[in-house]
Amino acid sequence: MKNSPLGELLLSTGHVTAEQLEVALHTQKARPGYLGEILVGLDFVTADEIAHAVATQHKLPYVDLCIAVPQKKALEALPKDIALDNGVLPLRIKRGVLTVVTHDPAAAELASMLRDLCGLEISFAISDKALIAQSIELYYFELENPIENRIATLVDEAANERDIDIEAFLDLLIQNAVKDRATDIHIRPQALSSHVFYRVDGVLHHYFSFPSRIHRNVISRVKVLSEMDITRQRIPQDGGFAFNYLRTAYDIRVAIVPTSFGENMVLRILPKTEALHRLERLGFEAAQVAVLERCLRKQSGIILTVGPSGSGKTTTLYSTLRRTNILQRNVVTVEDPIEYQLSLVQQTNVNESAGYTFAESLQHLVRQDADIILIGEVRNQETALAVARSALSGHLILSTMTANDAQGAVARLMDFGIKSYMLSATLLAVLYQRLVRRLCDNCKRPVSLPRAQLSEYGLGAAEGAAETVTVYEAVGCEHCRRSGYRGRVAVAELLEIGEDIRELLDKGRIALETGELLRRQGAATIREDAGAKLLQGITSLEEIRRVFA
Ligand SMILES: [Zn+2]
């Protein structure tokens, strides 16, 4: 079968196997389309892996459009229709050179066409196709009609006792939240006005205030959309509705509770399809990825990702699972609810509150000739025992657990009644992770830090003799909405259960601290990992202290 240039490239970089490429080309015959999109659709590669491979091939920089924000003057240099037609996003102008983000730098005549059009030299940077298309829509739309100005106008009118279009107002509040990558919108009534907060990168920020007189109308509008009872205002209500913005579909989950000033509302914004990313892009170090891959090649055992809720452990689990060869191993998942759709994987929903449990579904799944089973979460003894039994009977199990480090996870499993000899026989690795906010590249500022402070916070001792080290601190600019941060990155410690730890487990509880065990393996503790990201200028000391407070 004749391969495309992209297929050849991904084959040569090891991003896909010959077998996967074959399947993709067959799929392409059945459903014509761009090979890259088909490979992503089959979950053989992620869109950012393709972009990385293309960038490396052409020796061009890769741009993460979840983090980078285009300059206004760059957008103004290129008309929107040209950007859309060619799938290019103007990013910045520096010394007469316009940097344009594309997924295909080999497109004939593109550079000369853009140069003639803008009168600027053109340099290319690479990102993934879908994200570029979405960013073109988002940033040009924002350039033409800034959403916040329109919200401000409506608030002004409402404050002047005029009637406003409540439907439009609510739409704008949600659109603006999507634009700023918020996960939740809080609408809080107070005595004189109501306040709108967005949760961005895990932290709440105040965005708008609006007059109390329209509070009830806003709540009613949401209740209508969510098919809730408008007449009842003194009881908590839950619901949800669908929302579309910039060609992307979202589920909005709504929770309303009565308070002394009126109904308080929280809207959670969930994209219908969540893109999977490379483990490296999530923030994991090459050494950690290598350990995970080694564990994934095992026929049986348990790989656990642990952390508090909202620490990204489920996302990590899926990104890990994606690295297995799904064509050769039968992968099934049991989730409550299904959080990511994976191609070629049988995904099932359990409903623990309705009595269909993880443990029960596991009994059925082992008979489905499963090789690898992803269990959403180990929450109780029943699930823990079922997981251990499945691993002992020759299945590779991936799951998550709420725990504060690897040792805590082991202790919790033992509390659930898993005997240490069972753990010794099954546990392959425990990954403990947290998320720290990423400093905004546009405004972060270097500062000198006494080296002693690094060890004071357990962040490791940096190489070198100088008394001080250079790190970065948050400032705030228009790119990051004055927060100084944009996006988040995982910090983690990964304990591989090798012979040494097995021996300890066979003797009973692990007596050593996780930190000591990691040091013996030459692996970093989570704080040392955070310290490394501090020294690389990825995050700030203030942020590390906030997360580990
Ligand atoms: Zn900034």
Side-chain angles (χ1 to χ4, degrees), residues 440-444 475-482 484-485:
C440 170
D441 282 330
N442 195 50
C443 63
K444 67 185 181 186
V475 179
C477 69
E478 69 277 16
H479 284 191
C480 55
R481 250 204 73 97
R482 314 264 154 233
Y485 297 94

Side-chain angles (χ1 to χ4, degrees), residues 22-267:
E22 192 91 344
V23 172
L25 291 168
H26 277 296
T27 309
Q28 195 178 29
K29 276 192 176 169
R31 193 198 64 188
Y34 172 62
L35 181 66
E37 280 162 8
I38 291 170
L39 286 165
V40 172
L42 288 166
D43 292 314
F44 292 157
V45 282
T46 61
D48 64 313
E49 276 172 341
I50 293 184
H52 259 281
V54 171
T56 309
Q57 184 190 28
H58 292 273
K59 299 192 173 62
L60 289 169
Y62 164 83
V63 174
D64 186 344
L65 287 177
C66 294
I67 295 165
V69 180
Q71 287 174 342
K72 210 172 157 208
K73 63 177 178 184
L75 292 168
E76 284 162 350
L78 191 73
K80 182 184 180 182
D81 51 336
I82 305 283
L84 274 177
D85 287 350
N86 295 283
V88 293
L89 178 73
L91 187 66
R92 70 179 97 85
I93 301 175
K94 207 172 171 184
R95 289 191 277 273
V97 180
L98 173 66
T99 300
V100 168
V101 188
T102 174
H103 77 281
D104 182 14
E109 314 289 323
L110 182 60
S112 59
M113 187 270 283
L114 293 173
R115 184 173 54 230
D116 293 348
L117 202 81
C118 311
L120 291 160
E121 284 304 312
I122 302 294
S123 79
F124 285 130
I126 307 298
S127 195
D128 68 76
K129 196 180 175 199
L131 204 50
I132 292 173
Q134 218 180 46
S135 302
I136 294 170
E137 293 277 357
L138 175 69
Y139 292 113
Y140 277 100
F141 186 80
E142 185 60 19
L143 189 69
E144 288 155 14
N145 337 259
I147 302 175
E148 292 195 17
N149 293 0
R150 291 158 68 199
I151 293 174
T153 307
L154 288 175
V155 168
D156 242 22
E157 286 177 13
N160 287 310
E161 308 282 320
R162 262 174 271 154
D163 286 335
I164 65 159
D165 183 344
I166 294 292
E167 290 180 25
F169 184 60
L170 180 70
D171 279 354
L172 288 168
L173 288 180
I174 302 175
Q175 288 171 5
N176 196 52
V178 170
K179 184 200 80 179
D180 280 2
R181 301 169 303 106
T183 50
D184 304 83
I185 305 173
H186 292 233
I187 299 183
R188 286 187 199 162
Q190 292 294 312
L192 302 173
S193 57
S194 290
H195 301 279
V196 180
F197 292 83
Y198 290 168
R199 186 177 295 280
V200 180
D201 295 331
V203 178
L204 276 179
H205 297 274
H206 181 271
Y207 266 66
F208 311 103
S209 300
F210 61 82
S212 293
R213 55 179 280 267
I214 62 167
H215 181 83
R216 189 176 283 186
N217 302 351
V218 173
I219 301 285
S220 293
R221 171 68 189 150
V222 172
K223 285 183 178 173
V224 168
L225 287 171
S226 319
E227 293 173 359
M228 292 179 187
D229 189 342
I230 305 185
T231 60
R232 308 188 73 173
Q233 288 154 14
R234 301 193 189 285
I235 54 159
Q237 294 193 61
D238 292 335
F241 58 93
F243 189 79
N244 286 289
Y245 182 52
L246 299 177
R247 301 184 202 179
T248 308
Y250 299 88
D251 280 323
I252 311 289
R253 281 192 210 150
V254 184
I256 295 176
V257 290
T259 71
S260 45
F261 296 111
E263 288 167 289
N264 189 85
M265 179 166 74
V266 178
L267 305 172

Side-chain angles (χ1 to χ4, degrees), residues 452-497:
Q453 273 205 24
L454 286 182
S455 38
E456 193 180 316
Y457 294 111
L459 303 178
E463 300 284 315
E467 284 288 298
T468 60
V469 288
T470 301
V471 299
Y472 287 81
E473 65 179 12
V475 179
C477 69
E478 69 277 16
H479 284 191
C480 55
R481 250 204 73 97
R482 314 264 154 233
S483 69
Y485 297 94
R486 212 177 136 73
R488 283 190 289 180
V489 64
V491 290
E493 61 192 25
L494 177 55
L495 186 68
E496 188 176 11
I497 313 299

